Amino acid sequence: QAVLANLTGTRWLMVNLLYGAGLRLNECLSLRVKDIDLSGAKLIVRQGKGNKDQVTLLPKSLIAPLREHIERVKAMHDVNLTQGVGEAPLPAALAGKYPKAGYLWAWQFVFPSTTHCRDPYTGRTVRFHIHEKTLQRTVKEAARLARIGKPVGCHTFRHAFATHLLEAGHNIRVVQQLMGHKDVETTMIYTHVMNSSLAEVRSPADTLAT
């Protein structure tokens, strides 16, 4: 909450998705319009870790701001099309099969870069997603402003997503599915940092102080 309080606009929305949907940084950056299901309150993560697709939840509190954000991106994309640009780079396997698909609205990145660049594979002018270092620097600065005296990065919010779900009593198998973990033992790592059990333990020092 302290970090998010120092963020606004698109950066605030992106970090909220890292925490609220348990996304890895690159999974958030790589989201395309077709992967967002606002009515179903879910996200589809394409080719996540292990090169597999998965479905995770979309926080209901983010549906309205995400819808407004997508509308702004759509307006920008429409202008780009009239200018003869507006193409998003496609996965290599699809680029050859559907060469014009990159212009379609469904394939646009949800968090596009503010500038165009040259696609190294096709040589065409495209609009890629926001660079990962941009959000990494943003989170680091927000943590500094919040005066948090421990390391905070984008992945911290994914860790918090899993830990807080387990603390809330959700089944570890459900959390495993949402996190996209192949083995439940990976998910069990988060049980080691849960606060619920520690809260019930009284330090011997506190006993002496009473």
Side-chain angles (χ1 to χ4, degrees), residues 5 19 22 28 33-34 37 41 46 55 57 63 69 81 92 94 100 110 114 125 129 141-142 156 161 168 175 177 196:
Y19 171 58
C28 178
V33 173
K34 65 183 182 61
D37 183 354
R46 305 286 183 182
V55 178
L57 53 86
I63 291 177
H69 169 79
L81 290 176
L94 288 173
K100 296 297 183 182
V110 176
T114 56
T125 299
H129 57 62
E141 176 62 12
T156 304
F161 169 81
V175 179
Q177 181 181 9
S196 55

Side-chain angles (χ1 to χ4, degrees), residues 15 17-25 27 49 151-167 175 179 181 186-195:
V15 176
L17 281 175
L18 297 179
Y19 171 58
L23 299 179
R24 298 178 179 88
L25 172 58
E27 291 172 348
K49 194 171 183 179
V152 178
C154 292
H155 212 66
T156 304
F157 295 92
R158 175 174 163 85
H159 289 317
F161 169 81
T163 304
H164 293 166
L165 284 180
L166 291 171
E167 287 179 346
V175 179
M179 295 288 284
H181 290 157
T186 305
T187 314
M188 288 180 66
I189 293 173
Y190 295 100
T191 63
H192 302 320
V193 292
M194 289 169 59
N195 294 321

Side-chain angles (χ1 to χ4, degrees), residues 107-165:
W107 282 98
Q108 303 306 305
F109 288 112
V110 176
F111 300 108
S113 170
T114 56
T115 59
H116 290 86
C117 65
R118 181 179 176 275
D119 189 326
Y121 297 102
T122 65
R124 295 198 293 266
T125 299
V126 296
R127 189 186 290 276
F128 210 70
H129 57 62
I130 290 175
H131 197 282
E132 61 181 27
K133 289 185 178 179
T134 299
L135 195 59
Q136 288 170 338
R137 286 194 295 263
T138 297
V139 168
K140 184 177 181 180
E141 176 62 12
R144 186 190 68 80
L145 293 173
R147 298 182 179 180
I148 298 177
K150 52 181 137 180
V152 178
C154 292
H155 212 66
T156 304
F157 295 92
R158 175 174 163 85
H159 289 317
F161 169 81
T163 304
H164 293 166
L165 284 180

